[in-house]
């Protein structure tokens, strides 16, 4: 994972060969997730909309593997907004 709000342009090189990228930030950072998708290329990015902060979900034990796959399966393209 990378910090969405502090993405550095030099990190773009790390993603140059990626054909599909999932952007997953806290619910209060949806604008940042969309901005990051535009930086990385909206044609290869999907945004995972979390119901709660990921660290809270992990600590509470509410992010089970089935839920994670459901979130991945329902990830949206920025154009879908």
């Amino acid at each position: 994972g990378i910090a969405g709000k502090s993405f550095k342009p030099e990190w773009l090189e790390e993603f140059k060969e990626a054909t599909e990228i999932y952007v997953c930030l806290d619910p209060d950072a949806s604008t940042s997730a969309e901005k990051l998708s535009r930086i990385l290329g909206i044609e290869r990015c999907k945004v995972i909309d979390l119901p709660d902060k990921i660290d809270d979900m992990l600590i509470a034990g509410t992010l089970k593997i089935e839920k994670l796959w459901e979130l991945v399966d329902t990830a949206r393209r920025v154009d879908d907004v």
Side-chain angles (χ1 to χ4, degrees):
I2 58 167
K5 292 184 179 180
S6 60
F7 186 82
K8 295 179 179 19
E10 58 266 23
W11 294 346
L12 281 173
E13 182 69 19
E14 300 297 324
F15 293 91
K16 72 177 183 180
E17 294 185 30
T19 57
E20 191 167 51
I21 301 168
Y22 287 88
V23 178
C24 182
L25 302 178
D26 287 341
D28 61 348
S30 63
T31 301
S32 295
E34 292 171 13
K35 180 180 175 184
L36 181 56
S37 294
R38 292 185 201 298
I39 291 169
L40 294 169
I42 59 171
E43 68 283 349
R44 59 189 185 145
C45 288
K46 288 186 174 183
V47 176
I48 296 174
D49 292 314
L50 294 173
D52 295 302
K53 292 186 171 205
I54 190 128
D55 51 345
D56 292 344
M57 293 173 72
L58 292 170
I59 291 169
T62 58
L63 186 59
K64 305 290 186 204
I65 191 70
E66 298 82 13
K67 180 63 175 176
L68 179 59
W69 281 116
E70 177 187 321
L71 291 167
V72 169
D73 288 342
T74 59
R76 62 179 171 81
R77 299 236 181 245
V78 171
D79 286 339
D80 295 342
V81 179

